[in-house]
């Protein structure tokens, strides 16, 4: 314990020390380290050439088939753009098909406009 008379003589000193340490880390053979932008490009390329069904799209956007069909697929505001990457059924029993990469891009870039229709 510090005597009361000497307390005023002691000043608190804050010392910050920095250390640089190199530590080797051995990754398991089934893992690699890549840059974030390279990882994002790989994820994006995984959708190239992939077709989604209506069910695939609905799982990703969490809205009903009816709402998606009425508010997005049948919306004149989006129709022309959608025709470039969506196969619309021409007869009863035919299915919708979506290019995964373009559908993802559309949903990402037009999000605010889509939400205004809901």
């Amino acid at each position: 314990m510090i005597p009361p008379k000497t307390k005023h003589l002691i000043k608190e000193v804050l010392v910050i020390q920095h250390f640089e340490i190199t530590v080797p880390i051995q990754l398991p053979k089934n893992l690699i380290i890549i840059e974030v932008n390279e990882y994002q490009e790989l994820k994006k390329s995984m959708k190239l050439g992939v077709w989604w069904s209506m069910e695939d799209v609905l799982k990703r956007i969490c809205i009903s088939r009816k709402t998606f069909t009425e508010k997005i697929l049948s919306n004149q505001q989006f129709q022309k753009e959608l025709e470039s990457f969506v196969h619309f059924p021409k007869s009863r029993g035919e299915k919708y098909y979506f290019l995964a990469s373009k559908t993802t891009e559309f949903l990402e870039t037009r999000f605010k406009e889509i939400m205004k229709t809901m």
Side-chain angles (χ1 to χ4, degrees), residues 9 14 53 59 69 71 74 77 88-89 91 106 111:
L9 297 174
L14 180 62
S53 67
K59 276 189 267 183
T69 303
K71 303 288 186 176
S74 299
Q77 178 184 355
F88 289 85
S91 62
F106 171 80
F111 178 77

Side-chain angles (χ1 to χ4, degrees), residues 13-55:
V13 178
L14 180 62
V15 178
I16 298 175
Q17 296 180 355
H18 293 280
F19 297 97
E20 189 172 314
I21 300 172
T22 303
V23 179
I25 299 174
Q26 187 169 359
L27 293 174
K29 292 182 189 253
N30 64 328
L31 299 178
I32 62 169
I33 296 175
I34 62 172
E35 292 182 15
V36 171
N37 63 344
E38 186 177 351
Y39 172 70
Q40 290 169 339
E41 286 299 316
L42 285 169
K43 279 180 35 178
K44 187 176 177 182
S45 71
M46 289 176 66
K47 292 179 185 148
L48 293 176
V50 175
W51 296 1
W52 283 343
S53 67
M54 174 70 87
E55 290 70 29

